[in-house]
Amino acid sequence: NYVVKHNKLIEAKGKMTLMEQKILRTVISELQPNDRDFKEYNINVREFQELTKAKRKDMYEELKDVAHRLMDRKIEI
């Protein structure tokens, strides 16, 4: 999916780890123009690994940890 980001979101990347940025972009790519509110989004770990070229064996644990960190962050748009 194609993702277009506002400059503010690009500037915020300096405050996030590379993995946090990748997960955020993956979730953003799932948003639909007619979405009125956020909902639960699922990321297929195997597809995410292929997409990001990640070769970690502990990817499930890594994604879980990163997702929790992202949930604690405040992102204003």
Side-chain angles (χ1 to χ4, degrees), residues 55-66:
K55 300 199 182 335
R56 298 180 62 123
K57 293 182 180 183
D58 61 342
M59 185 57 71
Y60 283 93
E61 233 8 81
E62 173 74 13
L63 287 176
K64 181 179 169 184
D65 292 343
V66 173

Side-chain angles (χ1 to χ4, degrees), residues 3-74:
V3 175
V4 177
K5 296 189 292 186
H6 188 278
N7 286 342
K8 294 287 185 183
L9 197 52
I10 293 169
E11 292 167 5
K13 77 178 186 179
K15 300 170 185 163
M16 293 192 295
T17 67
L18 183 59
M19 190 62 75
E20 288 171 339
Q21 293 173 47
K22 289 178 180 183
I23 289 177
L24 184 60
R25 281 195 307 264
T26 301
V27 171
I28 288 172
S29 74
E30 297 297 320
L31 298 175
Q32 299 298 315
N34 59 344
D35 285 350
R36 294 289 167 224
D37 202 355
F38 290 105
K39 55 186 174 187
E40 187 173 304
Y41 297 94
N42 295 304
I43 297 174
N44 180 294
V45 175
R46 191 174 307 266
E47 289 175 10
F48 185 78
Q49 276 187 294
E50 291 172 10
L51 179 70
T52 61
K53 309 280 191 274
K55 300 199 182 335
R56 298 180 62 123
K57 293 182 180 183
D58 61 342
M59 185 57 71
Y60 283 93
E61 233 8 81
E62 173 74 13
L63 287 176
K64 181 179 169 184
D65 292 343
V66 173
H68 284 120
R69 285 197 312 267
L70 282 172
M71 288 173 47
D72 289 337
R73 290 192 184 271
K74 178 180 177 183

